[in-house]
Amino acid sequence: MSDYYLTKKRWHAISTNDKAADGEFFYGVKSTKIFCYPSCKSRLPKKENIVIFQDADDAISHGYRACKRCRSGGTALPDTEWVENIATYIDENFAKPLTLQIIAEDCHGSPYHLHRTFKRITKITPITYLDDIRIDYAKKQLLNTLESIEVIGKKAGFPNPSHFSTTFKRHTGLSPNRFRKGQQ
């Protein structure tokens, strides 16, 4: 496996979605643990997040899962497994500025298909799931730290304090400040 690393030629094949390179190697994305054909049309990952595999079995043996979009595993990834991947991705990246588009691109699917599949399996939308994760994190921070509400909101992934307060109140019935005072 020593000759399986990211060369200029492989990077060019990945960055140009070169179908001719399919079968020569697969690339994995460290941040999502998904592996793809070089021709995969998903968002181009950062160079430093790419690992190269000889074949699909090699990628799977290193803990990577097949891409839903390019079907790098030969068949489509089962929807339940894909939704588990999406949930794990959200769990690990909730503090980042995520949108349905970003989640779909990083999880190798279209926003519409991802939304529909996620909701069919979990009974909630991916954005509702994201908000739930963020609010759970914020509740723990409100109870266990003395950080300001603004700082907690930012750490939880909310771009501004008013969005954080509105979402928090919609989920809990209380403002973040009341929640903190009521639990002490």
Side-chain angles (χ1 to χ4, degrees):
M1 195 162 120
S2 60
D3 63 337
Y4 284 92
Y5 51 91
L6 186 60
T7 62
K8 284 183 181 179
K9 183 179 176 187
R10 289 183 179 135
W11 172 248
H12 181 73
I14 294 166
S15 61
T16 61
N17 307 112
D18 185 2
K19 197 137 180 75
D22 288 358
E24 291 180 21
F25 69 95
F26 289 87
Y27 74 92
V29 183
K30 293 176 192 174
S31 58
T32 60
K33 298 296 270 185
I34 292 171
F35 72 95
C36 300
Y37 285 113
S39 66
C40 188
K41 298 285 188 201
S42 28
R43 184 165 68 163
L44 184 65
K46 292 179 183 172
K47 246 180 168 176
E48 63 268 18
N49 285 339
I50 293 176
V51 291
I52 302 297
F53 298 108
Q54 181 176 355
D55 54 38
D57 291 339
D58 187 23
I60 292 166
S61 74
H62 282 85
Y64 284 74
R65 294 190 165 142
C67 174
K68 184 94 172 163
R69 179 174 277 176
C70 71
R71 296 182 173 169
S72 54
T75 58
L77 184 67
D79 285 346
T80 52
E81 196 174 326
W82 188 43
V83 168
E84 287 171 16
N85 290 353
I86 296 163
T88 300
Y89 173 82
I90 292 170
D91 293 345
E92 293 172 354
N93 294 283
F94 71 88
K96 296 177 181 172
L98 296 179
T99 63
L100 184 60
Q101 182 71 36
I102 291 169
I103 296 167
E105 287 173 358
D106 286 350
C107 293
H108 300 228
S110 74
Y112 174 78
H113 183 63
L114 183 142
H115 183 274
R116 193 183 65 209
T117 305
F118 194 94
K119 187 170 183 179
R120 179 173 46 82
I121 290 172
T122 66
K123 308 297 183 231
I124 61 172
T125 69
I127 298 304
T128 300
Y129 182 81
L130 172 62
D131 281 348
D132 289 348
I133 297 296
R134 287 174 168 170
I135 295 301
D136 286 346
Y137 173 84
K139 284 179 183 176
K140 289 175 190 154
Q141 296 303 303
L142 287 165
L143 297 176
N144 298 312
T145 73
L146 297 175
E147 291 180 316
S148 73
I149 289 168
E150 184 175 353
V151 167
I152 291 171
K154 280 192 168 124
K155 283 184 171 182
F158 292 97
N160 61 58
S162 63
H163 183 219
F164 170 53
S165 291
T166 302
T167 306
F168 192 92
K169 193 168 185 172
R170 189 174 63 241
H171 278 253
T172 65
L174 300 169
S175 70
N177 203 24
R178 283 214 152 178
F179 178 84
R180 179 181 259 170
K181 286 179 180 171
Q183 301 296 321
Q184 292 174 342

